[in-house]
Amino acid sequence: MTPSQSGRFEGDSWDPASSVGATATMVAASRALASQGPDPLLDDPLADPLVRAVGSTPFIRLIDGEVNLDDDPALNRRTRLEQMAVRTRFFDNFFVTATDGGIRQAVILASGLDTRAYRLPWPAGTVVYEIDQPLVIDFKTSTLAGLGANPTAERRTVSIDLREDWPTALRQQGFDVNKPTAWSAEGLLPYLPPEAQDRLFDDIAALSAPGTQFATEHISDPNAFSEEGVQRISERWRRAGFDLNAADLFYQGERSIVIDYLTGHGWQVTAHPAPELYQRNGFTFPEGDALAWLRDMSYVCATLR
Ligand code: SAM
């Protein structure tokens, strides 16, 4: 095992309650919260039971409304829920538009506790591959089966670390390189070493038939994951009651800028800056510095040229 500067190391592993896996529960908790109440921003009814089944107190307290951060402009309930709604709706729309356009093969990279394979209106005949670490995949599969939830597409799981040879594992599960595919990498990139991020993009391109589409997130600030940037993220998590140190989870250091890398490697990229998506969703982007990091972020959709 090779130590990295971040506390991460080659071959490290987790379940949804530990290390990087806890971030899957963290975002699922936000989706659960955004799905509550009479006028919810999201409709993800399985997020709540998934988070409860993980059993981590801070996330359960969050979805039970026991964490009040309303005096904090970056963390108040409305801001957090709108943030998650913008993100979830972007990736939902990406898949719905791709399948409306005829795509019938989807790959959700780092699927975590995302329930798209169970809740999106996939057309008949669509195969959805979910890739994540084995304990994360096993937890979601068995918990949702226990709840009687059924996938709305043919769901095939690929239990492997994305730093390993996942393309071979994906093909072994039946992935068809001759079919155009809709790929997503949501909330994944900072958890990969910089060179694994480049390799991920190269592997996706190599597996992609014409007409393929790819959605992910772009951060223009090359120092977003510097020591200082990561400390800011940890501070936000700490205030929300999560006992997680981003410095132990993110791979820090310089990494390729997503739009530049994809554009330079044959993809045509359309970027949607977060403030634009806020507006499109009828939300007002928060003023001031509280969400400065999000102002510089874009959700991107790319097609292979
Ligand atoms: N995409 C999901 C979502 O938005 O709900 C999960 C996002 S969560 C912040 C990060 C996810 O990336 C976790 O599920 C974690 O297990 C997965 N992940 C991070 N590094 C990974 C790796 N090297 N191999 C497989 N999965 C990884």
Side-chain angles (χ1 to χ4, degrees):
M1 292 193 272
T2 315
S4 86
Q5 85 278 32
S6 70
R8 297 290 310 281
F9 53 88
E10 204 182 302
D12 56 346
S13 62
W14 50 80
D15 60 18
S18 57
S19 177
V20 180
T23 68
T25 308
M26 186 193 300
V27 285
S30 288
R31 287 191 293 267
L33 264 182
S35 302
Q36 289 176 357
D39 193 14
L41 297 181
L42 293 177
D43 181 16
D44 187 356
L46 297 171
D48 183 289
L50 277 169
V51 171
R52 291 185 195 282
V54 173
S56 297
T57 305
F59 301 125
I60 294 176
R61 290 192 65 230
L62 190 74
I63 59 178
D64 281 342
E66 290 171 14
V67 183
N68 188 340
L69 301 159
D70 283 353
D71 57 346
D72 185 325
L75 287 170
N76 71 66
R77 186 181 166 95
R78 191 81 214 162
T79 304
R80 278 182 297 135
L81 300 196
E82 287 181 352
Q83 228 175 287
M84 191 41 69
V86 163
R87 164 175 163 170
T88 304
R89 291 179 189 179
F90 170 78
F91 287 99
D92 283 359
N93 288 338
F94 165 74
F95 283 117
V96 169
T97 307
T99 52
D100 281 352
I103 287 183
R104 295 290 181 268
Q105 181 166 258
V107 181
I108 302 177
L109 297 155
S111 44
L113 302 185
D114 153 7
T115 59
R116 283 192 182 95
Y118 293 77
R119 65 176 176 79
L120 288 189
W122 302 100
T126 306
V127 181
V128 178
Y129 294 88
E130 293 195 275
I131 311 184
D132 208 302
Q133 282 220 351
L135 294 177
V136 177
I137 294 272
D138 289 353
F139 172 83
K140 184 165 74 180
T141 304
S142 60
T143 305
L144 292 182
L147 289 164
N150 291 311
T152 48
E154 182 178 340
R155 173 178 180 257
R156 295 187 192 165
T157 56
V158 186
S159 298
I160 192 166
D161 192 291
L162 287 159
R163 294 162 293 182
E164 293 174 14
D165 182 11
W166 62 266
T168 300
L170 178 64
R171 292 181 72 158
Q172 281 167 352
Q173 288 298 87
F175 177 85
D176 187 345
V177 286
N178 297 309
K179 282 191 181 159
T181 303
W183 299 81
S184 72
E186 175 190 12
L188 164 66
L189 302 178
Y191 304 105
L192 291 178
E195 64 282 2
Q197 174 181 309
D198 292 351
R199 211 166 47 241
L200 183 90
F201 294 158
D202 296 347
D203 286 339
I204 294 172
L207 289 168
S208 289
T212 285
Q213 300 179 23
F214 174 40
T216 191
E217 293 134 333
H218 157 88
I219 295 174
S220 55
D221 177 3
N223 293 314
F225 303 113
S226 64
E227 211 175 316
E228 200 186 316
V230 165
Q231 258 173 18
R232 270 199 300 271
I233 295 169
S234 292
E235 177 57 18
R236 278 205 303 275
W237 288 353
R238 199 190 54 72
R239 270 184 281 153
F242 310 144
D243 183 21
L244 287 170
N245 183 356
D248 291 339
L249 307 183
F250 289 177
Y251 280 93
Q252 296 167 39
E254 247 184 77
R255 61 178 61 233
S256 300
I257 301 296
V258 171
I259 291 181
D260 299 352
Y261 191 89
L262 292 176
T263 307
H265 288 77
W267 295 87
Q268 183 153 358
V269 181
T270 307
H272 302 279
E276 173 200 308
L277 290 186
Y278 265 69
Q279 200 178 22
R280 203 186 291 172
N281 280 285
F283 306 147
T284 304
F285 195 84
E287 285 179 13
D289 288 340
L291 289 192
W293 61 275
L294 187 60
R295 191 176 291 119
D296 289 337
M297 182 177 156
S298 296
Y299 292 89
V300 303
C301 180
T303 45
L304 263 185
R305 274 197 293 265

